Amino acid sequence: KNQIGEGEVCYVEGSEGDASDADRHRCASLQKRLDAAMDQVGELERSLEEAEERRLAAEERANDAELKSAEADSNRNSVVDENKMEIPRDLRIKLAETERANRELQRENDVLKSRVQDMIQHKERAATSQRRAQQLEQELHHVTRQLEEGKEAQLGWMNIRREIVGEGLIGE
C-alpha cells in the first residue's frame, strides 16, 4: 500500500515476490514524482500570486505617474501659453523623473506579465503531469491484475498436469 496523491492510495495486489516488489517500487517512484509535481505547482501558484500583486502595484504607480505627468503637461502648457515663460527647472526635473519612473514601471509590468505567462505554462505542464501519473497508476493496477490472473491460470494448469501425471496418463 503506497500513497499516491491527496487522499489516494495505491494498492499493489499479488504475492510476495519480485513482481510485487517491482510494483511497489514503481508505485513509490510514481508517488515521489507526483509529490514533486504538486510541490512545484504550489510554488508556482504562490509565485504567480506575488507577481500579480507586484503587477497591480506597478500599474497603480504607473497610473499615478501618468496623472502627475498629465498634470505637469497641463501646467507646463498653461504656464508657457499664458506667460510665455520658460518652465521652471524643478518642474522639468520632476517631469523627467516621472517619465523615467513611468518607463521603468512599464518595463517592470512587461516583465511581470511575461513571468505570469511562464507560470501559467508551468501550471498547465504540472496538471498534464498529474493526469499522466494518474493514467500510469491505472495502467499499473490493470497490469498487476492481469499478472495475478495469469498466475492463477498457471497454477490451475499446473494442478491439472499434476492430476494427469498422478493418474499415470502421461509421464513426468
Side-chain angles (χ1 to χ4, degrees), residues 45-108:
E45 287 174 344
R46 283 189 295 278
S47 180
L48 181 62
E49 289 171 4
E50 292 171 2
E52 182 64 20
E53 289 171 5
R54 288 193 307 269
R55 185 190 64 81
L56 291 174
E59 281 183 0
E60 187 175 323
R61 289 191 308 260
N63 288 338
D64 290 345
E66 285 179 26
L67 287 175
K68 287 179 183 178
S69 177
E71 288 174 5
D73 285 346
S74 126
N75 288 340
R76 185 185 67 201
N77 290 339
S78 66
V79 168
V80 169
D81 290 344
E82 291 175 10
N83 300 331
K84 302 289 182 186
M85 294 175 47
E86 187 176 309
I87 300 171
R89 183 176 189 270
D90 61 334
L91 185 59
R92 283 194 324 256
I93 292 171
K94 194 168 191 171
L95 176 62
E97 288 174 352
T98 302
E99 289 173 347
R100 182 188 53 77
N102 190 21
R103 287 189 303 270
E104 186 177 305
L105 290 173
Q106 187 62 41
R107 283 190 297 271
E108 185 178 336

Side-chain angles (χ1 to χ4, degrees), residues 40-41 43-52 54 112-126:
Q40 185 179 19
V41 167
E43 287 181 32
L44 289 172
E45 287 174 344
R46 283 189 295 278
S47 180
L48 181 62
E49 289 171 4
E50 292 171 2
E52 182 64 20
R54 288 193 307 269
L112 291 175
K113 284 180 182 178
S114 173
R115 288 186 65 200
V116 165
Q117 288 300 322
D118 290 344
M119 289 179 194
I120 288 171
Q121 288 176 353
H122 287 299
K123 188 175 181 180
E124 289 172 353
R125 278 189 229 131

